[in-house]
Amino acid sequence: MAVTAGCGSNTADKAGNAGKKIVVGLDDNFPPMGFKNESNEIVGFDIDLAKEASKRLGREVEFKAIDWSSKEAELKSGRVDILWNGLDITEKRKENMLFSDPYMDNRQIIFVKKGRTDIKDEASMAGKVIGTQSASSAEEYMDGSAFFKEKVKEVKKYSDFVSAFMDLENGRVDAVVGDEITGRYYMSKHPEALEAVDVAIGEVSTFGIGFAKDNQQLRDEVQKVLNEMKADGTMAKISEKWFGKDITKK
């Protein structure tokens, strides 16, 4: 699914790219960063940021749903120009793409079914079936962890976190390890179903925007307008809309 938003005349783009569309690749089932609403429109925090940034650049923006596990290949091939969808900045990913400056912190934490008390930290997941999203930072951490390889009964991998949370609700997994921001948003919509175990798994990460290695120009153009959006309060207002407060990095 692709959604295109028209933008005004170019004022910020000095490289002769006025009118050139920016294609943003995303997982369209990753609330509240980018997801389909009841009207099948792609909405979310990152969507609003990207629309505002593109408007300031005088460019159109198209949102293109991709297989998130193939995001590096989509970027490298040029099928998308940007990855903008709660993308954690990691050293491994830096090998394959450029990043914007971090704009939000994120933790990987544990989610369990409401009322469950036996899972309270990483060690207590031994012998359990744990869900997560494929190609996520949580998966990357667990794949490199001797504990999850040797002590956990099974790590089930899903195409998106929403599917993992649904299986958690239905008792098909014992817990889900995933992005705190996405998980807490899901919990807000299903308050009687799940709860969070407020313990970080792995290191605290930061969200950034991904660009192709050879696209320093676009990276710098987008970073410039992001800085402007931080300075004039626009980013804070968008954060307040989706999270009830400004949780972006200063």
Side-chain angles (χ1 to χ4, degrees), residues 27 89 131 160 240:
D27 166 9
I89 300 173
D160 54 73
E240 288 164 5

Side-chain angles (χ1 to χ4, degrees), residues 214-237:
D214 61 356
N215 209 346
Q216 185 73 45
Q217 179 181 318
L218 181 59
R219 184 264 174 209
D220 292 345
E221 289 175 353
V222 172
Q223 186 62 57
K224 180 177 182 293
V225 294
L226 274 186
N227 293 343
E228 293 170 357
M229 289 161 62
K230 285 183 181 181
D232 66 19
T234 301
M235 189 177 289
K237 288 179 181 177

Side-chain angles (χ1 to χ4, degrees), residues 52-97:
E52 178 63 23
S54 298
K55 178 181 177 182
R56 294 182 184 217
L57 288 170
R59 309 269 290 272
E60 287 188 13
V61 61
E62 175 186 334
F63 298 101
K64 183 176 182 181
I66 61 173
D67 178 352
W68 199 241
S69 63
S70 302
K71 56 188 174 293
E72 285 90 350
E74 293 283 337
L75 194 60
K76 188 174 182 179
S77 69
R79 287 189 288 271
V80 301
D81 301 308
I82 296 177
L83 297 173
W84 197 337
N85 195 212
L87 178 66
D88 286 319
I89 300 173
T90 67
E91 292 304 314
K92 183 177 180 182
R93 287 173 179 169
K94 284 181 180 178
E95 296 173 5
N96 299 311
M97 66 182 82

Side-chain angles (χ1 to χ4, degrees), residues 87-210:
L87 178 66
D88 286 319
I89 300 173
T90 67
E91 292 304 314
K92 183 177 180 182
R93 287 173 179 169
K94 284 181 180 178
E95 296 173 5
N96 299 311
M97 66 182 82
L98 299 174
F99 277 97
S100 69
D101 295 344
Y103 63 91
M104 186 181 288
D105 288 330
N106 187 39
R107 299 189 302 165
Q108 309 301 312
I109 65 172
I110 306 166
F111 298 91
V112 296
K113 201 165 183 178
K114 194 86 168 181
R116 184 159 189 168
T117 59
D118 61 319
I119 297 177
K120 52 189 179 295
D121 54 21
E122 185 169 318
S124 61
M125 290 190 282
K128 305 294 196 299
V129 179
I130 309 301
T132 195
Q133 177 173 324
S134 295
S136 67
S137 295
E139 181 202 45
E140 189 174 314
Y141 172 76
M142 289 191 283
D143 281 352
S145 164
F147 172 80
F148 281 94
K149 289 178 180 177
E150 299 166 9
K151 302 295 185 182
V152 168
K153 182 178 180 180
E154 181 187 359
V155 175
K156 291 188 70 172
K157 299 177 180 181
Y158 297 83
S159 61
D160 54 73
F161 276 122
V162 173
S163 298
F165 290 134
M166 290 174 66
D167 264 12
L168 179 58
E169 280 192 71
N170 293 321
R172 297 189 183 99
V173 295
D174 296 296
V176 168
V177 177
D179 290 315
E180 180 175 21
I181 288 170
T182 297
R184 289 194 183 278
Y185 182 82
Y186 186 91
M187 282 170 50
S188 74
K189 302 298 182 183
H190 304 79
E192 303 304 317
L194 307 179
E195 58 187 78
V197 179
D198 196 12
V199 175
I201 301 298
E203 297 180 0
V204 176
S205 61
T206 53
F207 286 157
I209 307 161

